[in-house]
PDB file of all heavy atoms in Angstrom:
ATOM      1  N   VAL A 105      -6.674   1.364  91.778  1.00 97.00           N
ATOM      2  CA  VAL A 105      -6.193   0.492  90.722  1.00 97.00           C
ATOM      3  C   VAL A 105      -6.006  -0.823  91.364  1.00 97.00           C
ATOM      4  O   VAL A 105      -4.983  -1.177  91.883  1.00 97.00           O
ATOM      5  CB  VAL A 105      -4.970   0.946  90.043  1.00 97.00           C
ATOM      6  CG1 VAL A 105      -4.389  -0.056  89.019  1.00 97.00           C
ATOM      7  CG2 VAL A 105      -5.169   2.318  89.386  1.00 97.00           C
ATOM      8  N   ARG A 109     -10.168  -4.921  89.274  1.00 81.00           N
ATOM      9  CA  ARG A 109     -10.982  -3.723  88.911  1.00 81.00           C
ATOM     10  C   ARG A 109     -11.849  -4.002  87.603  1.00 81.00           C
ATOM     11  O   ARG A 109     -12.814  -3.419  87.443  1.00 81.00           O
ATOM     12  CB  ARG A 109     -10.247  -2.493  88.906  1.00 81.00           C
ATOM     13  CG  ARG A 109      -9.370  -2.237  87.682  1.00 81.00           C
ATOM     14  CD  ARG A 109      -8.461  -1.106  87.869  1.00 81.00           C
ATOM     15  NE  ARG A 109      -7.263  -1.343  87.276  1.00 81.00           N
ATOM     16  CZ  ARG A 109      -6.787  -0.565  86.280  1.00 81.00           C
ATOM     17  NH1 ARG A 109      -7.324   0.508  85.948  1.00 81.00           N
ATOM     18  NH2 ARG A 109      -5.578  -0.800  85.575  1.00 81.00           N
ATOM     19  N   HIS A 127      -2.746   1.829  76.456  1.00 98.00           N
ATOM     20  CA  HIS A 127      -3.709   3.006  76.388  1.00 98.00           C
ATOM     21  C   HIS A 127      -2.956   4.195  76.963  1.00 98.00           C
ATOM     22  O   HIS A 127      -2.023   4.118  77.793  1.00 98.00           O
ATOM     23  CB  HIS A 127      -4.930   2.729  77.132  1.00 98.00           C
ATOM     24  CG  HIS A 127      -4.759   2.540  78.512  1.00 98.00           C
ATOM     25  ND1 HIS A 127      -4.264   1.362  79.195  1.00 98.00           N
ATOM     26  CD2 HIS A 127      -4.977   3.371  79.622  1.00 98.00           C
ATOM     27  CE1 HIS A 127      -4.159   1.469  80.488  1.00 98.00           C
ATOM     28  NE2 HIS A 127      -4.669   2.666  80.738  1.00 98.00           N
ATOM     29  N   ASP A 129      -4.456   7.368  79.368  1.00 98.00           N
ATOM     30  CA  ASP A 129      -5.672   7.456  80.221  1.00 98.00           C
ATOM     31  C   ASP A 129      -6.884   8.380  79.663  1.00 98.00           C
ATOM     32  O   ASP A 129      -6.615   9.475  79.319  1.00 98.00           O
ATOM     33  CB  ASP A 129      -5.357   7.882  81.638  1.00 98.00           C
ATOM     34  CG  ASP A 129      -4.437   6.856  82.368  1.00 98.00           C
ATOM     35  OD1 ASP A 129      -4.767   5.657  82.184  1.00 98.00           O
ATOM     36  OD2 ASP A 129      -3.616   7.255  83.159  1.00 98.00           O
ATOM     37  N   LEU A 142       0.739   7.379  89.804  1.00 98.00           N
ATOM     38  CA  LEU A 142       0.310   6.094  90.306  1.00 98.00           C
ATOM     39  C   LEU A 142       1.162   5.689  91.494  1.00 98.00           C
ATOM     40  O   LEU A 142       2.433   5.713  91.282  1.00 98.00           O
ATOM     41  CB  LEU A 142       0.418   5.102  89.175  1.00 98.00           C
ATOM     42  CG  LEU A 142      -0.150   3.654  89.478  1.00 98.00           C
ATOM     43  CD1 LEU A 142      -1.691   3.661  89.785  1.00 98.00           C
ATOM     44  CD2 LEU A 142       0.056   2.767  88.158  1.00 98.00           C
ATOM     45  N   THR A 154       4.644  -2.691  85.146  1.00 98.00           N
ATOM     46  CA  THR A 154       3.870  -1.887  84.210  1.00 98.00           C
ATOM     47  C   THR A 154       4.844  -1.353  83.149  1.00 98.00           C
ATOM     48  O   THR A 154       6.089  -1.162  83.422  1.00 98.00           O
ATOM     49  CB  THR A 154       3.326  -0.615  84.909  1.00 98.00           C
ATOM     50  OG1 THR A 154       2.593  -1.044  86.061  1.00 98.00           O
ATOM     51  CG2 THR A 154       2.376   0.264  84.042  1.00 98.00           C
ATOM     52  N   TRP A 270       3.459   9.975  84.982  1.00 98.00           N
ATOM     53  CA  TRP A 270       3.814   9.914  83.568  1.00 98.00           C
ATOM     54  C   TRP A 270       2.964  11.149  82.826  1.00 98.00           C
ATOM     55  O   TRP A 270       1.978  11.552  83.318  1.00 98.00           O
ATOM     56  CB  TRP A 270       3.433   8.639  82.959  1.00 98.00           C
ATOM     57  CG  TRP A 270       2.078   8.233  82.943  1.00 98.00           C
ATOM     58  CD1 TRP A 270       0.948   8.394  81.980  1.00 98.00           C
ATOM     59  CD2 TRP A 270       1.454   7.319  83.895  1.00 98.00           C
ATOM     60  NE1 TRP A 270      -0.175   7.669  82.387  1.00 98.00           N
ATOM     61  CE2 TRP A 270       0.084   7.127  83.563  1.00 98.00           C
ATOM     62  CE3 TRP A 270       1.910   6.747  85.120  1.00 98.00           C
ATOM     63  CZ2 TRP A 270      -0.734   6.316  84.292  1.00 98.00           C
ATOM     64  CZ3 TRP A 270       1.093   5.880  85.854  1.00 98.00           C
ATOM     65  CH2 TRP A 270      -0.323   5.725  85.542  1.00 98.00           C
ATOM     66  N   HIS A 277       0.569   3.386  78.169  1.00 98.00           N
ATOM     67  CA  HIS A 277       1.062   2.368  79.162  1.00 98.00           C
ATOM     68  C   HIS A 277       0.241   1.108  79.039  1.00 98.00           C
ATOM     69  O   HIS A 277      -0.894   1.069  78.585  1.00 98.00           O
ATOM     70  CB  HIS A 277       1.153   2.948  80.518  1.00 98.00           C
ATOM     71  CG  HIS A 277      -0.159   3.465  81.090  1.00 98.00           C
ATOM     72  ND1 HIS A 277      -0.713   4.693  80.750  1.00 98.00           N
ATOM     73  CD2 HIS A 277      -1.078   2.948  81.941  1.00 98.00           C
ATOM     74  CE1 HIS A 277      -1.827   4.878  81.236  1.00 98.00           C
ATOM     75  NE2 HIS A 277      -2.080   3.782  82.035  1.00 98.00           N
ATOM     76  N   ALA A 279      -0.978  -2.071  81.666  1.00 96.00           N
ATOM     77  CA  ALA A 279      -1.116  -2.677  82.972  1.00 96.00           C
ATOM     78  C   ALA A 279      -0.747  -4.189  82.811  1.00 96.00           C
ATOM     79  O   ALA A 279      -0.971  -4.721  81.807  1.00 96.00           O
ATOM     80  CB  ALA A 279      -2.465  -2.450  83.515  1.00 96.00           C
ATOM     81  N   PRO A 280      -0.185  -4.816  83.856  1.00 96.00           N
ATOM     82  CA  PRO A 280       0.215  -6.124  83.809  1.00 96.00           C
ATOM     83  C   PRO A 280      -1.014  -7.067  83.687  1.00 96.00           C
ATOM     84  O   PRO A 280      -2.079  -6.907  84.254  1.00 96.00           O
ATOM     85  CB  PRO A 280       0.918  -6.361  85.143  1.00 96.00           C
ATOM     86  CG  PRO A 280       0.388  -5.388  86.021  1.00 96.00           C
ATOM     87  CD  PRO A 280      -0.170  -4.215  85.237  1.00 96.00           C
ATOM     88  N   ARG A 290      -2.678  -7.090  94.518  1.00 97.00           N
ATOM     89  CA  ARG A 290      -1.967  -5.915  93.933  1.00 97.00           C
ATOM     90  C   ARG A 290      -2.921  -4.696  94.142  1.00 97.00           C
ATOM     91  O   ARG A 290      -4.091  -4.820  93.685  1.00 97.00           O
ATOM     92  CB  ARG A 290      -1.642  -6.150  92.533  1.00 97.00           C
ATOM     93  CG  ARG A 290      -0.822  -5.033  91.868  1.00 97.00           C
ATOM     94  CD  ARG A 290      -0.539  -5.495  90.433  1.00 97.00           C
ATOM     95  NE  ARG A 290       0.428  -4.500  89.780  1.00 97.00           N
ATOM     96  CZ  ARG A 290       0.087  -3.420  88.960  1.00 97.00           C
ATOM     97  NH1 ARG A 290      -1.278  -3.221  88.895  1.00 97.00           N
ATOM     98  NH2 ARG A 290       0.952  -2.649  88.395  1.00 97.00           N
ATOM     99  N   ARG A 294      -4.347   5.960  91.896  1.00 98.00           N
ATOM    100  CA  ARG A 294      -3.947   6.858  90.893  1.00 98.00           C
ATOM    101  C   ARG A 294      -4.616   8.255  91.006  1.00 98.00           C
ATOM    102  O   ARG A 294      -5.813   8.261  91.374  1.00 98.00           O
ATOM    103  CB  ARG A 294      -4.287   6.217  89.504  1.00 98.00           C
ATOM    104  CG  ARG A 294      -3.690   6.900  88.343  1.00 98.00           C
ATOM    105  CD  ARG A 294      -4.098   6.272  87.072  1.00 98.00           C
ATOM    106  NE  ARG A 294      -5.404   6.602  86.615  1.00 98.00           N
ATOM    107  CZ  ARG A 294      -6.113   6.055  85.573  1.00 98.00           C
ATOM    108  NH1 ARG A 294      -5.545   5.014  84.941  1.00 98.00           N
ATOM    109  NH2 ARG A 294      -7.306   6.492  85.344  1.00 98.00           N
TER     110      ARG A 294
HETATM  111  C1  SIN B   1      -3.237   2.227  84.750  1.00 81.64           C
HETATM  112  O1  SIN B   1      -3.577   1.797  83.716  1.00 81.64           O
HETATM  113  O2  SIN B   1      -3.422   3.397  85.124  1.00 81.64           O
HETATM  114  C2  SIN B   1      -2.729   1.257  85.809  1.00 81.64           C
HETATM  115  C3  SIN B   1      -1.447   0.585  85.415  1.00 81.64           C
HETATM  116  C4  SIN B   1      -1.140  -0.603  86.363  1.00 81.64           C
HETATM  117  O3  SIN B   1      -2.072  -1.217  86.837  1.00 81.64           O
HETATM  118  O4  SIN B   1       0.083  -0.860  86.389  1.00 81.64           O
END
Side-chain angles (χ1 to χ4, degrees):
V105 176
R109 74 192 150 122
H127 65 284
D129 288 329
L142 185 63
T154 309
W270 63 92
H277 57 280
R290 183 177 187 269
R294 192 179 83 192

